[in-house]
Amino acid sequence: MPSFMKVARTALGTAADVVKGQLAGNPLIASDAKYEARMAICNGCPKKIEVIKNAPQCGECKCFLGAKLKLEASTCPDGKW
């Protein structure tokens, strides 16, 4: 399980990436095709967890996948997408 500081750094890093992307004129939300491709990768990942029913999370960074995968600027902490 990642430490609180690692989770906080991941969240702040994602927020910074979103802001940079917006300032560069990039879309905020990933396309449906990109979302589905990311979800397929996460669904096959052994680190995917579901502590809360119907709310899958990344076991590496603890982000909720439903939100993380929709953000264009998001990245996989294992570099899978």
Side-chain angles (χ1 to χ4, degrees), residues 38-61:
R38 289 174 171 182
M39 185 57 86
I41 293 167
C42 292
N43 282 336
C45 182
K47 293 182 180 178
K48 179 184 162 195
I49 60 174
E50 194 166 317
V51 176
I52 301 169
K53 187 176 180 177
N54 297 321
Q57 289 176 268
C58 173
E60 183 67 25
C61 66

Side-chain angles (χ1 to χ4, degrees), residues 9-64:
R9 277 194 304 271
T10 299
L12 289 173
T14 298
D17 290 343
V18 167
V19 170
K20 286 181 212 170
Q22 289 293 285
L23 292 174
N26 297 332
L28 175 63
I29 304 299
S31 69
D32 289 341
K34 184 176 270 188
Y35 174 84
E36 293 299 328
R38 289 174 171 182
M39 185 57 86
I41 293 167
C42 292
N43 282 336
C45 182
K47 293 182 180 178
K48 179 184 162 195
I49 60 174
E50 194 166 317
V51 176
I52 301 169
K53 187 176 180 177
N54 297 321
Q57 289 176 268
C58 173
E60 183 67 25
C61 66
K62 298 296 188 231
C63 290
F64 286 95

